[in-house]
Amino acid sequence: MVSPKVKVTASNAQGAVKIYLETRLDKLFHNSSFGYRPNRSAHMALTQCERNCRVKSWVLEVDIKAF
């Protein structure tokens, strides 16, 4: 029996690498880190920021040069 050939495209390879890296690297990030992480949004980041500011006295510095 001849096995079917699998066509690997750049998109498929990129998706596979993304999944591979995300599963290993995501657990290294701090729980309050939201930038470019799966299942996290800017709204979630703002909610977390609000929680942090109510519990701790923090100073937040943001680089807005790119806006």
Side-chain angles (χ1 to χ4, degrees), residues 8 12 14-15 17-18 25-26 32 47-48 57 59 62-63:
V8 178
N12 291 353
Q14 183 179 17
V17 170
K18 178 183 178 288
L25 296 178
D26 193 56
S32 293
T47 301
Q48 182 66 43
S57 297
V59 174
V62 179
D63 182 9

Side-chain angles (χ1 to χ4, degrees), residues 22-42:
E22 280 180 351
T23 57
R24 283 152 181 82
L25 296 178
D26 193 56
K27 57 188 166 194
L28 300 177
F29 287 98
H30 191 274
N31 201 27
S32 293
S33 174
F34 289 84
Y36 303 103
R37 291 181 68 193
N39 303 318
R40 296 194 179 224
S41 68

Side-chain angles (χ1 to χ4, degrees), residues 47-60:
T47 301
Q48 182 66 43
C49 188
E50 183 180 359
R51 283 188 201 132
N52 290 348
C53 290
R54 289 183 183 197
V55 174
K56 303 168 186 161
S57 297
W58 285 35
V59 174
L60 182 65

Side-chain angles (χ1 to χ4, degrees), residues 1-8:
M1 181 174 186
V2 177
S3 62
K5 292 186 178 182
V6 178
K7 183 177 180 182
V8 178

